[in-house]
Amino acid sequence: MNTIQSYIETHQQTFINELIDLLKIPSISADSIYKNDVLKTAEVIKTRLQEAGCDLVEIHPTAGYPIVYGEKIIDPKLPTVLVYGHYDVQPPDPLNLWDSPPFEPVIKNTELHPEGAIFARGACDDKGQMYMHIKAMQFMTETNQLPCNVKFMIEGEEEVGSVNLSTFVKQNREKLANDVILISDTGMIAKDVPSITTGLRGLSYVEVEVIGPNRDLHSGLYGGAVANPINILAKMIASLHDDNNHITIPGFYDKVEELSAEERAEMAKAPFNLEAYQKALNIEAVYGEKGYTTNERNSIRPTLDVNGIWGGYTGEGAKTVIASKAYAKISMRLVPHQDWEEITQLFKNHFESLAPKGVTVKVTPHHGGQGYVTPIDNIAYQAASKAYEETFSKTPIPQRSGGSIPIVALFEQELNSKTILMGFGLDSDAIHSPNEHFGVWNYLKGIETIPWFYKYFVELSK
Amino acid sequence: MNTIQSYIETHQQTFINELIDLLKIPSISADSIYKNDVLKTAEVIKTRLQEAGCDLVEIHPTAGYPIVYGEKIIDPKLPTVLVYGHYDVQPPDPLNLWDSPPFEPVIKNTELHPEGAIFARGACDDKGQMYMHIKAMQFMTETNQLPCNVKFMIEGEEEVGSVNLSTFVKQNREKLANDVILISDTGMIAKDVPSITTGLRGLSYVEVEVIGPNRDLHSGLYGGAVANPINILAKMIASLHDDNNHITIPGFYDKVEELSAEERAEMAKAPFNLEAYQKALNIEAVYGEKGYTTNERNSIRPTLDVNGIWGGYTGEGAKTVIASKAYAKISMRLVPHQDWEEITQLFKNHFESLAPKGVTVKVTPHHGGQGYVTPIDNIAYQAASKAYEETFSKTPIPQRSGGSIPIVALFEQELNSKTILMGFGLDSDAIHSPNEHFGVWNYLKGIETIPWFYKYFVELSK
């Protein structure tokens, strides 16, 4: 593996250019306008996997966007690593907040990325991090250092809930059989503080609609006499949190795992500077559930956030109208043991019960997934830890992430194998936000670290 | 005046066609895209006033849209009627709820309008009702039955708060001197229940902005740890009403005029069928301030309604984001004695005080106006009442309207004259809503009734 550094030095410009080409395709799975771009991206991934040395690459159609599968089996008796990633991206809006067009990648230096960062939607989540594995694979095959079998499963619906991946996994247990699943779709604490994500939050995403009168009404003639769907929606949303910012949905916390004082003390050791955190977001204070720290609020505690709201007149100027309908998109982040389908049902029952006479309420579940925790005492975690030690000269810190990769829990259930989350992005990379970017240093560091994981995983598997 | 009916029979098709031509111009004052259409409408009004017999017609430029002024002075010693109306219209959205394009007028029969109704934005508010006065004027001049002096003041900014009309009025007290102001920009209880509007509500219209983190954030990584501007906005809006739907802004009710039991009993005599009201709106129940009837809630009581709200991801599918900003347009309907500027300040102070640390709040006043009450014991009201008796064979019922014509209070203050509100529209005409329309019968009935007002007003003035 010692040749990896020189290999990267030789090929880094190509690695960067190939990623930039990939980022130019607007593979937005949430918006059907981009259907052809999403499909085109799958084709590019297929080609890249072939070039990287896969013996077999297939594009599997699904009810939605296809799954790209690739494999190189060098010896059935050797361990098999299954790499998962996704080639779809989040919608880029609000567009006006981007400093450069989201699908015209540019490299700019930032305070945290003096070596430059690639700015584009998907740069970090997940095209950049997924592509590190394809380049690491290329290194291992070209230099005959691939120590085991590899399988790739790259999907195009992660940002919309992996709705069809679960079916694919259930129908292809044999094909996907593996000893460990490797994913880079999370972050690390800091460039000099490598970390491995050991926990993920689950997710329940719903859309709500409050329906009032059968038409928009003049707010002068009807104001104060009929229920205003927007006012009612605001009231219903406000009631979902109490004064301590606990969520008020009955039964919501029933299955929440309470961490021990020891575990919380362990978590508190991770480096965190509240002032810097607030400064980076330009907020005067943090805000959240009473009795928990910021790092606990966004990792071990479930949350409820409105992701979008709309209704009535939103154009220029003033319109004195009472809208017939008001809408919101609401997501809940869940912790291990909370079942997303059960929580979705609890939300639906509670939210509908909040509606006063005079309006009707519709709750439409979008998608969801279970939370997940990786034990740190298995060989896969240890192999990852040693890999980081090789390339960062530091032992990585295990950390719980607030994000969700719903499919991870399903992998364990269907494929009966653990997932290792080796993330190389930073929280400040603005994934899901305007000006998403991925540090060139982080990108290359990921390509450098991954082969070491293969090496140690095979060694520890003996 | 007895020839008015035959005159209408002869000219009704022309009257309808001219109104339809006027309705084809999208004179939306709230949206600058339509600037040229608004200006074009002023030109058309100018021409129509000349054709109707005005000796002098001028287009007065303002800082915004121009005011069309016309007059016919037959004898300075005779009384003068000042007609006010507006040629601008509300924005038509949501467009998808219109059965026919808002600026392609069509005549359709409805249950309430078996003689047909003209469907178009502005048909009733206010192009149709304003144009009745021009046609009534034409009748009186062509048949030499104009009994007094007439002045017309038709503006193009009523739907955005008449921001420049007040300056014009203050600077032209001489030119606008009159004995009574006549306006048709309100409704009547029913086709067989003529009514005269004796009260109008004031208005305060503001836009609010809740600003959180300096960028949109990933709801997984930051959810539960920072104040979500949309959740906060919902909470702030919800807190503006208490459980009895009283408005919670300190000082909001201080100057509200409480009607006596007698006055409320008088009001309660107006025909009103709650079941029919709910059925017409397809709502299961009405909703409003505890202790007041529906007719009181939308006329003698002040109200607060959100007219529009937006923030975060509102596109197709799901986006797990915490928006950096959230917005709402909020209007308050005020009753006589509440000062709109004072109320706007009270709202601003209170709303800003509601913001928790972690967000900042901006409140931008849009516009506003005072409420108004017309006494029913003056000769102008009596002249109007006798006019209705001539054409409806019924004494009209005095009623308070929930709507606002902010300029009316200013007229009294600056021109020292009373305003008579002769409205011929119906609540069901859907003004400010999709499928706005104006009954052909109501339109012609207005043209028939107006000349009688002139006759009786001059007689009673002697």
Side-chain angles (χ1 to χ4, degrees), chain B residues 138-208:
Chain B
Q138 176 186 316
F139 160 73
M140 293 186 284
T141 51
E142 282 188 9
T143 61
N144 300 313
Q145 296 186 74
L146 180 63
C148 61
N149 307 310
V150 191
K151 295 174 178 176
F152 284 86
M153 174 170 58
I154 314 299
E155 72 155 319
E157 298 185 310
E158 198 272 344
E159 300 295 3
V160 291
S162 304
V163 266
N164 296 295
L165 183 64
S166 52
T167 319
F168 175 77
V169 170
K170 286 173 185 160
Q171 292 172 349
N172 294 275
R173 290 200 187 82
E174 276 307 306
K175 178 194 281 284
L176 301 172
N178 64 81
D179 298 283
V180 67
I181 295 163
L182 189 57
I183 303 178
S184 295
D185 196 15
T186 51
M188 59 199 285
I189 292 173
K191 281 169 80 176
D192 57 350
V193 186
S195 54
I196 297 171
T197 300
T198 54
L200 292 167
R201 289 200 283 189
L203 178 74
S204 169
Y205 199 113
V206 301
E207 187 158 324
V208 301

Side-chain angles (χ1 to χ4, degrees), chain A residues 251-322:
Chain A
F252 185 81
Y253 290 101
D254 287 359
K255 296 181 176 174
V256 170
E257 157 204 59
E258 288 290 344
L259 269 67
S260 68
E262 292 67 29
E263 288 173 290
R264 291 177 67 181
E266 192 52 44
M267 274 190 70
K269 289 182 186 157
F272 178 74
N273 180 328
L274 184 60
E275 243 176 58
Y277 184 87
Q278 290 175 174
K279 189 164 170 296
L281 300 175
N282 189 28
I283 54 177
E284 200 188 333
V286 292
Y287 184 91
E289 188 180 9
K290 195 176 178 188
Y292 295 90
T293 66
T294 293
N295 277 340
E296 290 171 337
R297 286 167 174 172
N298 62 22
S299 64
I300 62 167
R301 297 299 296 171
T303 58
L304 183 151
D305 276 291
V306 179
N307 303 108
I309 191 166
W310 68 102
Y313 183 67
T314 60
E316 189 188 343
K319 187 169 192 287
T320 49
V321 69
I322 293 176

Side-chain angles (χ1 to χ4, degrees), chain B residues 97-118:
Chain B
L97 296 185
W98 283 78
D99 299 331
S100 58
F103 298 105
E104 295 173 24
V106 289
I107 297 181
K108 285 181 284 188
N109 297 345
T110 73
E111 198 180 321
L112 283 171
H113 299 294
E115 312 84 359
I118 303 171

Side-chain angles (χ1 to χ4, degrees), chain A residues 163-237:
Chain A
V163 265
N164 296 295
L165 183 66
S166 52
T167 318
F168 175 78
V169 170
K170 287 174 185 160
Q171 291 171 350
N172 294 275
R173 290 201 186 79
E174 276 308 306
K175 178 194 281 283
L176 301 173
N178 65 81
D179 299 282
V180 67
I181 295 162
L182 190 56
I183 303 178
S184 295
D185 196 16
T186 51
M188 58 200 287
I189 292 172
K191 282 170 80 177
D192 56 352
V193 187
S195 53
I196 297 171
T197 301
T198 55
L200 291 167
R201 289 199 285 189
L203 178 73
S204 169
Y205 199 113
V206 301
E207 187 158 324
V208 302
E209 182 178 355
V210 175
I211 303 136
N214 53 6
R215 59 184 169 93
D216 286 4
L217 300 174
H218 185 295
S219 67
L221 303 184
Y222 292 90
V226 302
N228 177 327
I230 301 177
N231 288 77
I232 299 296
L233 176 60
K235 206 169 170 169
M236 293 168 76
I237 289 170

Side-chain angles (χ1 to χ4, degrees), chain A residues 30-33 90-94 97 121 125 159-160 201 203 205 207 212-228 230-238 241-243 245 277 279-289 294 297-299 301 303-324 326-327 329 331 333 356-360 366-367 401-404 426-434, chain B residues 30-33 90-94 97 121 125 159-160 201 203 205 207 212-228 230-238 241-243 245 277 279-289 294 297-299 301 303-324 326-327 329 331 333 356-360 366-367 401-404 426-434:
Chain A
D31 190 339
S32 48
I33 292 170
Q90 278 277 317
D93 29 327
L97 296 184
R121 166 60 79 230
D125 177 14
E159 299 295 3
V160 289
R201 289 199 285 189
L203 178 73
Y205 199 113
E207 187 158 324
N214 53 6
R215 59 184 169 93
D216 286 4
L217 300 174
H218 185 295
S219 67
L221 303 184
Y222 292 90
V226 302
N228 177 327
I230 301 177
N231 288 77
I232 299 296
L233 176 60
K235 206 169 170 169
M236 293 168 76
I237 289 170
H241 290 91
D242 66 16
D243 295 342
N245 285 311
Y277 184 87
K279 189 164 170 296
L281 300 175
N282 189 28
I283 54 177
E284 200 188 333
V286 292
Y287 184 91
E289 188 180 9
T294 293
R297 286 167 174 172
N298 62 22
S299 64
R301 297 299 296 171
T303 58
L304 183 151
D305 276 291
V306 179
N307 303 108
I309 191 166
W310 68 102
Y313 183 67
T314 60
E316 189 188 343
K319 187 169 192 287
T320 49
V321 69
I322 293 176
S324 168
Y327 308 82
K329 292 174 191 274
S331 68
R333 296 285 171 169
K357 273 193 171 185
V359 302
T360 55
H366 259 303
H367 65 273
S401 162
S404 306
L426 302 179
D427 279 3
S428 53
D429 287 346
I431 65 172
H432 291 215
S433 305
Chain B
D31 190 339
S32 48
I33 293 170
Q90 278 275 317
D93 33 320
L97 296 185
R121 167 59 81 229
D125 177 14
E159 300 295 3
V160 291
R201 289 200 283 189
L203 178 74
Y205 199 113
E207 187 158 324
N214 53 7
R215 57 182 171 92
D216 286 5
L217 301 173
H218 184 294
S219 68
L221 303 184
Y222 292 90
V226 301
N228 176 327
I230 300 177
N231 287 75
I232 298 295
L233 176 59
K235 206 168 169 169
M236 292 168 76
I237 289 170
H241 290 92
D242 67 15
D243 295 342
N245 284 311
Y277 184 86
K279 188 164 170 294
L281 300 174
N282 189 28
I283 53 176
E284 199 188 332
V286 291
Y287 184 91
E289 188 180 8
T294 293
R297 287 167 174 171
N298 62 21
S299 64
R301 298 298 295 171
T303 58
L304 183 151
D305 276 291
V306 179
N307 303 108
I309 191 165
W310 68 103
Y313 184 66
T314 61
E316 188 186 345
K319 187 170 191 286
T320 49
V321 69
I322 293 176
S324 167
Y327 307 81
K329 293 174 191 274
S331 67
R333 296 286 170 168
K357 274 191 171 188
V359 301
T360 55
H366 260 303
H367 65 271
S401 162
S404 305
L426 302 179
D427 278 4
S428 54
D429 287 346
I431 65 172
H432 291 213
S433 306

